[in-house]
Amino acid sequence: MTRVLVVDDEPQIVRALQINLKARRYEVHVAGSGTAALKVAAQHPPDLVILDLGLPDFDGVEVIRGLRGWTEAPILVLSGRTDSTDKVEALDAGADDYVTKPFGIDELLARMRAVLRRSNAGAEQPIVTVGGAEVDLSAKRVTKSNGDEVRLTPTEWHLLEVLVRHPGKLMSQRQLLTEVWGPGYENAGGNLRFYMGQLRRKLEADPARPRHLRTEPGMGYRFEP
């Protein structure tokens, strides 16, 4: 049974989540503050954390950092904060996805399933499909269904590799820039937009309406298998 930790100080939201999650056979633990969240997580290590940022004792981003010190369990932020700065800060701290209140339970459950699939993927699959192309992570090659090789520059390959190694995960611009270009490039958003455009032109059936290399406005990018 998948163990979920719900961290929120709004009783009605906690109650609604408990009812819906238990009905779907999740084991649910709850906490109404950051201090309680870290304590409960230590006592009952979660498979997934649903976390509000606006907690009464300290900010939810600090809870993310505290959890990331010892667990890789997916963290799904559920918050009323709509400012992109708050969203990016949570992602940079280690959150896996972000849902804004008010939310639909079906969307939340879908996001939960997505982050859990990524977490439970097990051993890395050496070949990932992106549209009509196969990305061979071992051989560092991309080939189309007809066998033609897709030529990528080293930077294009590195960016694609980072994305496909985290299927379904929402990655902030800062995360991608640091991973691909290194420290000091955190504000080089133009580089990222350019190379994402190049990858879409080479891999997406319709680069103007990408299905797999997705932009999440104000937050970052996501690879959807």
Side-chain angles (χ1 to χ4, degrees):
M1 183 178 290
T2 301
R3 181 180 293 159
V4 179
L5 171 59
V6 176
V7 186
D8 202 304
D9 64 339
E10 296 184 49
Q12 63 273 29
I13 288 181
V14 172
R15 193 178 308 114
L17 289 176
Q18 281 183 302
I19 292 170
N20 279 280
L21 295 179
K22 287 182 177 179
R24 290 164 175 82
R25 299 185 178 277
Y26 289 98
E27 176 185 339
V28 183
H29 295 265
V30 301
S33 68
T35 302
L38 296 175
K39 183 177 180 180
V40 173
Q43 293 172 339
H44 307 282
D47 299 306
L48 170 70
V49 179
I50 299 175
L51 172 70
D52 183 24
L53 296 182
L55 300 173
D57 50 355
F58 53 87
D59 195 85
V61 171
E62 295 305 317
V63 177
I64 296 172
R65 295 190 177 111
L67 291 170
R68 280 291 170 256
W70 61 274
T71 180
E72 290 299 316
I75 299 174
L76 179 59
V77 171
L78 184 63
S79 179
R81 299 180 186 177
T82 58
D83 189 272
S84 61
T85 301
D86 293 312
K87 297 176 181 180
V88 170
E89 186 179 9
L91 294 170
D92 285 342
D96 291 82
D97 211 339
Y98 198 110
V99 176
T100 302
K101 296 178 182 177
F103 62 94
I105 191 66
D106 289 338
E107 178 191 1
L108 179 65
L109 290 167
R111 297 287 186 94
M112 288 174 58
R113 291 192 295 270
V115 296
L116 285 168
R117 278 197 302 271
R118 183 180 64 80
S119 177
N120 298 329
E124 179 184 291
Q125 297 297 315
I127 296 179
V128 180
T129 301
V130 181
E134 287 190 344
V135 180
D136 189 327
L137 294 169
S138 298
K140 296 186 180 297
R141 293 182 59 192
V142 181
T143 53
K144 293 186 177 180
S145 56
N146 62 5
D148 290 344
E149 184 173 353
V150 179
R151 300 286 183 179
L152 299 182
T153 68
T155 301
E156 289 168 355
W157 169 260
H158 196 175
L159 177 58
L160 178 64
E161 183 181 28
V162 171
L163 287 166
V164 301
R165 285 187 188 277
H166 300 87
K169 178 178 173 61
L170 175 55
M171 303 191 72
S172 72
Q173 176 175 289
R174 180 183 293 269
Q175 286 175 311
L176 288 170
L177 287 168
T178 301
E179 185 76 21
V180 178
W181 282 271
Y185 284 85
E186 293 87 349
N187 297 315
N191 287 6
L192 189 52
R193 287 189 295 274
F194 173 78
Y195 282 99
M196 283 296 296
Q198 293 289 92
L199 286 176
R200 286 166 175 160
R201 278 190 285 276
K202 293 181 179 182
L203 298 175
E204 293 278 5
D206 184 354
R209 297 177 179 83
R211 293 182 55 195
H212 305 287
L213 303 175
R214 304 286 297 275
T215 298
E216 297 286 349
M219 291 185 283
Y221 298 89
R222 188 198 308 266
F223 165 57
E224 289 288 1

